Amino acid sequence: MKKFSEVSVLYRDALPAPTEFIWYQCDPRELSLPLALRGNQPLCAWIISANIKAEVDLSLLKFASDLLTIAPSVFADCPSDCFSVLVIRFTHGQDARIPVFVAATRELPREQKLFPLGSEDIATFRFPNGESVGPFESDGGLPLTYDFRDKKFGNTARLKLGNPRPINIPCARCLRMTLKGDGSYHRISVRFNNGYDSTVYSSNTILLDFDDIRTIEFAIPAEVVLPLALNDVIRIVCSPGNRAQTGRLVLYDITVSVDQPDTSVHNSEDMQPSASLTYFPAPKMPVGQSSVLSEIPSRLIWAMASDPARSAIFSCATSEGSPTLFYRPLGSDTEFLSVAPVTEHGYETEDGCRIAVCYHKFYLYDLTPDTAYEYRLNDGPLQSFRTFPADPNEFSVMFLEDVQIGNRPVFFERLERILAKEAAEIKWPCFMMTLGDIVHSPDSAVEYERILTACGEHFQKMPVAVTVGNHEYSDYDLFDIFARRHAMPEGADLGLGGAAYSFTVGNYTFFAVSLVSGDLYPQYLDRLDKALQECHSKWKIVFLHCSPYTGQGGFFKHRMMVAPILERGGVDIVFSGHSHIYIRASVWEDKAVAPEDGILYLTMGAAGHRMFTNDRGFWQDYVYGSYEEERTDSDGMPDPTCSTAKFSTDSVELSVRTLSGKTIDHVIVRK
């Protein structure tokens, strides 16, 4: 299909063929493989194996017509019967990593035992929360107990077996585990990680509907990049409607094999969406007095309305009382119109206490398009806002994602600089799009107040369209605090998924989609599917926190269940956060495609100090931020992302830079 008439991008990664290569010590020859340079030039290369990390002379690598030829001497000192990785750094994007199994003979191993090994130390077997497992039973099994009533486990109990267990056979496709089940109807899975860069891959899940000893199979995903190691040996995921909150499994044996598993990676049990979140009782905390809230309204935010040309929404907070908003056309001598708020009451935390907060939202209707208004809260100072034109030919957006500063004053100052830099590059009409995790602690009154102090001028000069992140989730308040703090357009879904809504500007309809974890809610997905298909705008833009196609934190369920909904609904671009790195991907039907042929997925980096490396995915077309020098400025400080976009009748133009001025990407999409 041809989704866009034209797509222009600044950079693309060099792309090696995703093939497993074998080099035989008994018959040393050149190794040739396809490698799409895509405008890149090699800078340096090195080889990594179990006992060496050595620089490789580029003269031993020949690049011609998208074919790479590797001289035999590159692998001469590598140990046999295990993987070595040839890493080539190019001018842009990620390193090209080429895994090669160095075989001693033509007789290749077909199976490898991962557990138990002869030198196992029971002291290393622990759940991540510190609870020990074992000791071994008389028949050699290792007992694994879990308790989902305990917050330490949350929704998932994970077992690690000491040091990573590398998979040292080529073409590994199946992991077999001998296990005694508990009939709990929870689900179990395993996770693998790449030995070079710790990219994590998840397997299919299997239902614990048995209480005898069975050998079960987990498929090693087709998109994995070797070499691999077993990461979480067992992940026990609490399933809604399960029969037990506690359980006990017994592990006997783990092997990997080149045989294809009988279990499908896409089994239906794995794809069933959940319908609830784990809820824990609120902690017992004293009730205190806030140092940041009072009867005077604060936290003033101008929120995006469903029709920003004819309506406006404002929110604020107080410690008590109920303010009134007064407004009229700017410069008019008519009487002010008054608007009473919709008020909700809740609690946040401050200095170890729970403080009472009154959240107020004001909805202004029947406004005139492209008109300036003045307003005030109670008898406070006058401020102004302007409605959007009824059908703008062009408008701008500035992005804010993954701030999560906590209590670090230096980064609040840098946040102010990020927003000032973005604001200088856009013009009215415009709005701000947040992509989740604006705070690190979901209920901290002080952190939220400081964030708004740094952002406040911009949060009041343009409407803000918010979406929920996983750090805006609380074990005992779910997404309630986020929904109370932020005003959403009329008809917003404030259910389990956080907050979902849509609004239209000109030829564009924007959908805020609530995806923050592996939990999916059937009723919400059905409504999203219907809303997208009933929308007839020329452009459909989705913004969310956790994208189906991103870096760290990507979720297999989102790829299998959410991406098809976006494709059926005609979505053009998806903006996301969560992975704290910039990633561009073009995907259709779970396959990487040319930029003009699929949905454009853009993970927009981070505006805070936390920068992550990348979990590789087959869909990634270009990645920025994998290297330390990309994530830091000349002073060694984190170099956050500054991004803006210009939307016109037939095109979207995205500009992505760092705070220090490094150019990350420039994308133009025409339709």
Side-chain angles (χ1 to χ4, degrees):
M1 64 167 282
K2 198 80 169 176
K3 189 165 186 61
F4 304 111
S5 61
E6 179 187 348
V7 178
S8 169
V9 298
L10 192 58
Y11 303 124
R12 300 180 74 184
D13 286 354
L15 193 65
T19 307
E20 295 181 27
F21 298 98
I22 302 173
W23 186 79
Y24 298 95
Q25 288 183 332
C26 59
D27 185 18
R29 300 182 182 182
E30 288 185 339
L31 194 64
S32 296
L33 63 141
L35 177 68
L37 292 175
R38 305 203 296 185
N40 289 274
Q41 297 296 321
L43 295 176
C44 58
W46 57 95
I47 189 85
I48 300 174
S49 63
N51 61 354
I52 64 169
K53 179 177 180 181
E55 188 173 347
V56 173
D57 190 335
L58 286 179
S59 65
L60 300 176
L61 309 176
K62 298 178 181 178
F63 301 89
S65 302
D66 286 344
L67 187 71
L68 169 63
T69 303
I70 308 169
S73 58
V74 171
F75 308 107
D77 297 326
C78 296
S80 61
D81 292 335
C82 63
F83 282 96
S84 295
V85 181
L86 175 63
V87 184
I88 309 174
R89 178 162 292 186
F90 291 91
T91 47
H92 302 297
Q94 305 178 86
D95 296 333
R97 299 194 335 264
I98 302 165
V100 177
F101 186 81
V102 179
T105 67
R106 292 280 178 177
E107 295 295 322
L108 298 177
R110 297 185 55 83
E111 190 173 271
Q112 178 188 352
K113 192 178 189 67
L114 297 181
F115 174 84
L117 303 177
S119 58
E120 299 287 13
D121 179 4
I122 190 68
T124 65
F125 301 166
R126 293 181 179 274
F127 285 106
N129 62 15
E131 186 169 336
S132 62
V133 300
F136 284 105
E137 296 193 335
S138 58
D139 61 358
L142 179 67
L144 315 172
T145 59
Y146 58 88
D147 185 352
F148 288 125
R149 298 169 304 179
D150 189 336
K151 183 181 174 181
K152 291 185 298 183
F153 286 95
N155 285 313
T156 305
R158 305 184 307 277
L159 174 71
K160 295 179 182 290
L161 293 184
N163 296 324
R165 290 156 191 262
I167 296 173
N168 283 330
I169 61 173
C171 306
R173 290 293 174 264
C174 176
L175 181 140
R176 293 188 174 90
M177 180 184 297
T178 303
L179 185 77
K180 183 177 182 180
D182 61 1
S184 65
Y185 282 76
H186 295 304
R187 290 180 169 84
I188 65 170
S189 64
V190 298
R191 293 203 299 181
F192 308 93
N193 74 297
N194 182 275
Y196 171 67
D197 65 1
S198 298
T199 294
V200 175
Y201 302 95
S202 298
S203 74
N204 54 300
T205 64
I206 293 176
L207 190 66
L208 284 170
D209 58 352
F210 58 93
D211 55 12
D212 54 354
I213 298 176
R214 298 186 183 182
T215 297
I216 55 180
E217 295 182 337
F218 298 94
I220 298 176
E223 68 264 22
V224 302
V225 179
L226 295 167
L228 291 181
L230 190 59
N231 187 14
D232 294 336
V233 171
I234 291 181
R235 301 178 75 243
I236 309 166
V237 180
C238 182
S239 303
N242 57 346
R243 297 182 179 181
Q245 290 295 308
T246 63
R248 183 178 185 273
L249 309 176
V250 183
L251 175 65
Y252 291 95
D253 181 74
I254 302 175
T255 59
V256 288
S257 167
V258 300
D259 300 329
Q260 291 289 340
D262 293 331
T263 304
S264 169
V265 174
H266 299 166
N267 65 73
S268 59
E269 293 292 351
D270 184 38
M271 292 297 100
Q272 291 301 313
S274 57
S276 64
L277 290 169
T278 299
Y279 180 89
F280 297 99
K284 294 181 179 180
M285 301 174 67
V287 177
Q289 185 94 14
S290 175
S291 64
V292 295
L293 291 171
S294 69
E295 295 182 22
I296 300 173
S298 64
R299 299 185 180 178
L300 180 60
I301 299 176
W302 177 10
M304 176 58 76
S306 56
D307 181 2
R310 296 173 177 84
S311 55
I313 307 172
F314 292 89
S315 64
C316 68
T318 59
S319 59
E320 58 182 333
S322 182
T324 301
L325 186 145
F326 300 91
Y327 75 99
R328 67 183 179 185
L330 182 64
S332 170
D333 56 3
T334 60
E335 291 292 325
F336 280 93
L337 299 175
S338 64
V339 180
V342 175
T343 298
E344 298 175 273
H345 300 273
Y347 288 92
E348 298 179 15
T349 62
E350 183 181 337
D351 296 329
C353 297
R354 287 173 70 77
I355 61 167
V357 184
C358 299
Y359 305 91
H360 313 286
K361 296 165 186 176
F362 303 89
Y363 296 85
L364 284 59
Y365 299 111
D366 299 323
L367 304 179
T368 304
D370 200 15
T371 300
Y373 289 84
E374 58 184 0
Y375 71 100
R376 70 171 189 264
L377 291 171
N378 291 344
D379 55 358
L382 279 174
Q383 302 194 65
S384 64
F385 71 93
R386 189 178 192 90
T387 54
F388 275 40
D391 190 15
N393 293 322
E394 186 178 291
F395 61 94
S396 302
V397 172
M398 52 192 283
F399 296 90
L400 186 65
E401 66 288 312
D402 295 281
V403 178
Q404 296 179 246
I405 294 174
N407 185 23
R408 298 171 177 84
V410 63
F411 294 110
F412 285 99
E413 182 271 333
R414 292 167 73 85
L415 176 59
E416 293 180 22
R417 289 167 51 199
I418 290 170
L419 295 177
K421 186 180 180 75
E422 292 181 356
E425 298 177 4
I426 63 174
K427 61 181 182 179
W428 183 260
C430 57
F431 67 90
M432 184 188 298
M433 179 187 294
T434 76
L435 298 171
D437 282 0
I438 300 306
V439 296
H440 187 75
S441 301
D443 59 354
S444 169
V446 173
E447 181 189 3
Y448 189 63
E449 199 76 19
R450 287 175 175 168
I451 291 287
L452 292 193
T453 299
C455 300
E457 177 185 356
H458 304 286
F459 275 30
Q460 296 161 29
K461 284 188 173 181
M462 67 186 76
V464 181
V466 299
T467 191
V468 66
N470 55 289
H471 278 269
E472 275 120 355
Y473 165 82
S474 164
D475 285 331
Y476 48 91
D477 279 314
L478 302 182
F479 295 104
D480 292 349
I481 293 176
F482 174 86
R484 287 194 292 261
R485 280 175 170 173
H486 296 283
M488 262 72 73
E490 307 83 350
D493 179 356
L494 304 180
L496 291 174
Y501 57 88
S502 65
F503 58 91
T504 298
V505 182
N507 291 330
Y508 293 81
T509 297
F510 294 83
F511 295 84
V513 175
S514 299
L515 286 185
V516 297
S517 69
D519 292 296
L520 299 172
Y521 316 109
Q523 68 275 22
Y524 169 65
L525 294 181
D526 291 342
R527 290 197 292 271
L528 173 63
D529 197 0
K530 182 179 179 182
L532 286 171
Q533 294 194 58
E534 289 180 348
C535 174
H536 300 293
S537 292
K538 179 179 179 179
W539 294 83
K540 300 179 189 178
I541 310 294
V542 160
F543 61 108
L544 44 75
H545 188 59
C546 294
S547 170
Y549 299 100
T550 180
Q552 288 193 352
F555 293 100
F556 180 69
K557 279 186 179 181
H558 294 178
R559 283 172 47 199
M560 295 298 103
M561 298 193 68
V562 181
I565 291 175
L566 305 183
E567 291 174 7
R568 282 197 301 271
V571 171
D572 299 296
I573 302 175
V574 176
F575 294 103
S576 68
H578 188 61
S579 292
H580 295 232
I581 192 171
Y582 177 77
I583 296 172
R584 187 181 68 236
S586 297
V587 184
W588 192 259
E589 295 181 345
D590 205 38
K591 295 181 178 64
V593 296
E596 62 270 16
D597 292 339
I599 295 177
L600 184 62
Y601 291 89
L602 296 163
T603 305
M604 300 301 292
H609 67 288
R610 305 175 72 216
M611 307 290 178
F612 296 166
T613 55
N614 181 39
D615 274 4
R616 285 189 175 236
F618 65 85
W619 53 83
Q620 293 171 357
D621 192 52
Y622 174 63
V623 175
Y624 182 95
S626 288
Y627 310 134
E628 182 66 22
E629 60 265 31
E630 293 177 336
R631 298 192 296 271
T632 57
D633 60 21
S634 58
D635 296 323
M637 292 286 287
D639 200 10
T641 310
C642 301
S643 307
T644 59
K646 182 174 69 176
F647 296 80
S648 60
T649 303
D650 61 356
S651 69
V652 178
E653 182 175 356
L654 176 74
S655 179
V656 189
R657 295 158 309 286
T658 68
L659 180 59
S660 69
K662 301 174 189 173
T663 298
I664 294 177
D665 204 3
H666 191 86
V667 181
I668 301 176
V669 181
R670 301 190 188 280
K671 192 176 182 181

